[in-house]
Every structure is written in C-alpha cells, then in structure tokens.
Amino acid sequence: MGITFFLASLAFLLPSITNATPLEKRATLDDCLSKGSVPTLAAGSADYTQSLKSFNNRVTFKPAAYAVPTTVKHIQDAVACGASNKVQVTAKSGGHSYASHGLGGEDGHLIVDMRNFANVTVDQTAQTAVIGTGGRLGDVATALYKQGKQAISHGTCPGVGVGGLSLHGGYGLISRLKGLTLDNILEIEVVLANSTVVTASETQNPDLFWALRGAGAAFGIVTSFKFKTFTAPESNIVFQYMASPSSASQLSTMLSALQNFTRNTQPPELNMRLFLSAFTTFSGVYYGNRTDFDKLMTPLLTSMGISTGGFSSVTTNAWLDTLTSFSNGPLEQTKPYDTHETFFAKSLMPEWLSPDALTALAKYWDADARANSRAWYLLFDCHGGKASAISNVAADATAYAHRNATFKMQFYDRVYSGEYDAAWFGFLNGWVKAINDASPGVDFGMYINYADTNLTRAEAHEHYWLGHYERLSGLKQVWDPGHVFEGPQLVGS
Ligand SMILES: Cc1cc2nc3c(=O)[nH]c(=O)nc-3n(C[C@H](O)[C@H](O)[C@H](O)COP(=O)(O)OP(=O)(O)OC[C@H]3O[C@@H](n4cnc5c(N)ncnc54)[C@H](O)[C@@H]3O)c2cc1C
C-alpha cells in the first residue's frame, strides 16, 4: 500500500482535518483536488521547491497543498476542497508580498497559484483591457503596449504580480496623473468562498467591489480585472539628481521643502521620489515639456538644497524606456521567476510630518541609520497633495485607506548574504517609533503592500485600513462567513 493511499484512508476516518498533521492534511486535500482534476505540484518536485521561494527569503511557509489551476472551474473546485476540509485558501500571483502573504503568511494553507491566468486582451476602441491576475507587471506593460500602445498605472518592479498589487493599492510613477492601479479597475471576476463566480463592479455587487479594491485577499480569488487603459505618453522627462544631506538639520529642511511642494504645488504630471540611503537620490518622471519642467524644478531643487551637477541626469524617454528606467532590469520576465532579497520592511503613510516629526526622523537617520552598514533605505514616494489623482478620489470610494497621504514612506533593511538577524528588527521599528512618538494622537497608517511582519493582527487591521476596517469586517461576514480566505494580517483574521 502506497503512503499516499494509506494517508488518504486514514484521513477518511478523521471528523475534520483541522487537527490533522501536515501529512494527513496534504493527503486529504490531494484526494479532493484530484477528484476535481485540479492540477497540483507534488511536494519535493523542482517546481514545488521553486514556487515556495518567496521574494523575501526571510519569510517562507509550508502549504498544505499547492494548486496550479488552468481553468476557473479548477479554482472553484480548489476553493470547495479548502472550505469543506477547513483548510484556508490563499491566492498567489507574483509572490512579492513582503510577508509572503501569497504563501498564506503562515503554514498549512492551500495555495492557488494564478500563473496560468496571465492573458492581457486589449479592446483598443473602448480603451479597456482584461488582464489575468497571474501576470507580472513587466509582462503586462509589454503586452498592453503591443496592443495599440496602451498602458495602465502600476508599480515599478517588473516582477511584481498584478493580482496582489491591484487588490491592495498599486502606486507607480504615473499614479499622481492616472491614480493607483486599483482606481482604474472597471470590473473584477472573482471566485467566492462558496465557490461561485461573480463579477464585481460599480453596478454589480458594489459592496464587494468596494472591499476588493484595498483588501482583496480576504474576499475571494480574483481571476481577472477589466481596466480602463490610456495611450502611453511617448515623450517623458526622466530625471535623477544626487542629494547629499550632511546633517540632521539639512535632511529635515530638505524633507520639509519637499513636503510643502507635494502638498501644495506639485502638479499631477510630476511624479517623483526621494530615496534616502548611503547614496541619496531624487528621481522621477515629468509628463510634459522641458521648459515647464525646468520652471517647476529649479525653485524646488534650490529649496531642497540639491545641486544639478555631478551624476545628475535629465533625459527624454519613450514609454517602455521610461518604465525600464525604474525597473532595475528588463521588463519581460524569465520563467521561473528567481529574484529574491532578504529583508525586513515597514511603512508610514503621513498626510503631514510636523517639524517635530521631521526632526525626530532626521536625528534617527543621523545617529542610527548612517551608522548601519546593512543595505537599508527610506523611500519617500510623493503620493498625494492637492493635485494628485490619488487624493482626488473620495476617501471612502474604495477600501484603500490612504487617500490623504502626502508621502508613501517605505523603510527597508536588507542583507545581501546570510540571514537577517531578528535582533536587527529594532533598527526600523525604532525609526518608525521615533516618528510616531513625535506625532502624538496621529495614526499615519501603513500600506499592506509593504506588509510588516512585526505587526500583530490588531495593529495590522488598524494601520492598514484605518477607518475602513469596521465596514470591511462587516463585509467579511457577508462574503466569507466561514473564513475560507484568511491570513495572519488579512481582514477578519
Ligand atoms: C521588488 C518589489 C517592488 C515593489 N514595488 C512596488 C511599487 O512600485 N508600488 C507598489 O504599490 N507596490 C510595490 N511593491 C509591493 C507589491 O505591490 C506587493 O508586494 C504586492 O502585494 C505583490 O503582489 P504579488 O501578487 O506579487 O504578491 P503575492 O504574494 O502573490 O500576493 C500578495 C497578496 O495578494 C493576494 N493575492 C494575490 N493574487 C490574488 C488574487 N488573484 N486574488 C485574491 N488575492 C490575491 C495574496 O493572497 C496576498 O495576500 C513592490 C514589492 C516588491 C517585492
């Protein structure tokens, strides 16, 4: 008698597999999945081992089973297998969650890998595109461009999955002009916890549509999005300046000037970021002409104390080259995807950093960050402000809770070899604490797409979804009362 047959027979005797060992769980699930002919990866196979490698090497998990569906019916059957066996079901698209939420965020989930749902079909007349959730951003951008030079607003890293990015935000270097990725979704096809397939849009299941755009992972397995597209702009000013703050007060002045500009003056055509690290850069894209660009940038650079000499560059790029300027490599992705880092990250989404908060941030940089020899960075994306398309969407139009955030701040600490020691968590936790302590009574919020493994469930719910959490929690009871789609930080967990 083979071990699988033996375990399958054993599992038959169990009232529920909730308390079963991982091997028993796997046998029961495998039996159910094979009855529905759902393709799975065998534990220990090369593909399985590769698929369990998260983007973040620091955080990996062992699933109960790993499905690779090729049809929507397979996804429905996989969800039914998970639900009937009380095994939580998790969709995985690009596997780029910082906390490996695409592998469940903990051991024992049934993973539904969306790699076979990566089609991109453009309707050039309507300027819409149906995009499978398993595609990676670089491939999606290339496919859109090949079909009538179309584009959508999305993040910068070409390996990120369109599924996770779009369901929880999606900020990139055209977002101040075109909105977040989720702001451009017209329709979503989703497999629900009860295994039915529905469409969510402004007119069909509008409350589900609301929840999926900001907290999607807790509400179903999304098979495809219908996006509105735009014709890619072909003459874009791509810039990068070196910034070298030499003291805490200089950094604080630089950030204060940038914050004022972003809140009050920055037009939607200007998209940019300050990357604070051992080598600090100020870079971005302007969708307009050089004369207007110079008129905007000259006073801004002066107020920030940034000179235009040295390694600075200002070039005019076509659309795909504009994307490549920020992609750290080619747009089109090789299979299997095999780029990884070892890191810990955090985020803050402030509307306004007070002078005290800026001073605390800058002092921590001077005293602690500059002495840290690991490859850390603090990225300030200029996300909001009066003229930003992101901020001009009503605060409660989607479940995304950070419409008023001026900066999207990403704190990142990584090592290039060896393991990340848990003792190092204190570096970024301390930096965020210093800023929070200097901002009494303010909850800046955090971005789930930069998932922070150090947050408790309650902290994650509070900071990722702020005032939207209560409504989301109520909708979870409606759409997934049995908690089929769960994870340590997801809505309802
Ligand atoms: C190198 C790098 C660069 C990044 N750059 C940016 C950036 O420029 N802008 C930005 O906004 N973010 C950026 N991010 C963050 C990124 O948006 C998130 O990590 C995102 O969640 C990744 O999505 P994924 O599909 O690749 O990940 P996954 O780990 O596969 O999924 C992330 C979450 O989404 C859920 N999910 C995925 N697919 C589905 C689906 N089909 N149905 C339901 N739930 C699903 C998963 O269950 C999981 O909870 C970056 C991340 C990395 C690692």
Side-chain angles (χ1 to χ4, degrees), residues 114-449:
M114 298 301 290
R115 68 177 72 167
N116 296 314
F117 292 76
N119 283 348
V120 176
T121 310
V122 174
D123 179 335
Q124 293 182 35
T125 311
Q127 288 206 291
T128 59
V130 176
I131 300 180
T133 50
R136 296 186 188 275
L137 300 183
D139 295 327
V140 168
T142 310
L144 285 169
Y145 191 79
K146 283 182 181 162
Q147 298 175 60
K149 300 194 173 181
Q150 293 303 288
I152 58 170
S153 163
H154 56 73
T156 50
C157 174
V160 166
V162 73
L165 178 103
S166 311
L167 290 170
H168 304 104
Y171 173 90
L173 283 161
I174 198 161
S175 292
R176 292 187 92 260
L177 185 61
K178 300 288 183 184
L180 297 168
T181 314
L182 60 72
D183 292 329
N184 294 285
I185 300 175
L186 299 172
E187 276 178 21
I188 300 178
E189 183 186 87
V190 55
V191 176
L192 299 173
N194 63 8
S195 296
T196 58
V197 188
V198 299
T199 299
S201 69
E202 291 292 358
T203 53
Q204 299 175 75
N205 303 304
D207 58 347
L208 178 64
F209 190 51
W210 180 84
L212 286 169
R213 290 172 299 156
F219 289 89
I221 298 197
V222 173
T223 59
S224 66
F225 302 109
K226 183 176 183 181
F227 284 102
K228 73 175 173 235
T229 64
F230 57 85
T231 303
E234 294 293 359
S235 179
N236 312 313
I237 296 180
V238 175
F239 59 92
Q240 174 159 296
Y241 304 101
M242 301 306 293
S244 326
S246 59
S247 66
S249 78
Q250 239 182 52
L251 176 61
S252 173
T253 303
M254 181 180 283
L255 292 173
S256 177
L258 181 61
Q259 176 170 250
N260 286 340
F261 181 83
T262 296
R263 280 162 66 84
N264 301 309
T265 314
Q266 187 177 344
E269 294 80 12
L270 184 57
N271 291 253
M272 54 194 190
R273 47 175 42 176
L274 183 80
F275 182 85
L276 181 67
S277 72
F279 298 96
T280 298
T281 56
F282 183 48
S283 62
V285 187
Y286 181 62
Y287 301 97
N289 67 49
R290 180 67 198 255
T291 311
D292 291 344
F293 173 74
D294 287 339
K295 259 190 226 157
L296 280 164
M297 291 308 275
T298 304
L300 173 64
L301 293 173
T302 305
S303 67
M304 291 175 70
I306 294 177
S307 76
T308 53
F311 293 103
S312 300
S313 67
V314 181
T315 55
T316 302
N317 289 1
W319 176 244
L320 291 184
D321 290 340
T322 302
L323 296 181
T324 309
S325 305
F326 295 92
S327 70
N328 289 326
L331 292 179
E332 285 177 284
Q333 299 298 293
T334 50
K335 291 189 180 79
Y337 184 85
D338 208 7
T339 302
H340 312 275
E341 294 201 344
T342 305
F343 64 99
F344 172 55
K346 299 183 82 69
S347 65
L348 285 178
M349 304 291 284
E351 179 180 8
W352 186 64
L353 292 168
S354 68
D356 284 352
L358 287 173
T359 301
L361 183 162
K363 278 189 173 163
Y364 197 94
W365 166 76
D366 197 25
D368 295 80
R370 293 174 95 181
N372 179 354
S373 58
R374 292 186 299 279
W376 64 271
Y377 65 77
L378 170 50
L379 178 64
F380 298 81
D381 273 308
C382 299
H383 165 280
K386 283 180 191 155
S388 169
I390 304 169
S391 311
N392 284 321
V393 173
D396 58 359
T398 66
Y400 181 77
H402 313 290
R403 296 287 170 191
N404 66 353
T406 300
F407 291 140
K408 178 162 73 58
M409 292 167 62
Q410 183 185 177
F411 302 74
Y412 199 96
D413 188 31
R414 68 189 143 179
V415 288
Y416 289 130
S417 62
E419 303 215 337
Y420 189 96
D421 192 324
W424 299 331
F425 290 145
F427 167 57
L428 294 186
N429 284 332
W431 207 347
V432 167
K433 183 173 184 309
I435 299 165
N436 281 333
D437 286 352
S439 315
V442 185
D443 185 346
F444 290 127
M446 297 179 173
Y447 183 36
I448 187 173
N449 267 346

Side-chain angles (χ1 to χ4, degrees), residues 474-485:
L475 288 172
K476 177 76 175 175
Q477 289 309 313
V478 174
W479 294 98
D480 182 16
H483 292 246
V484 174
F485 306 111

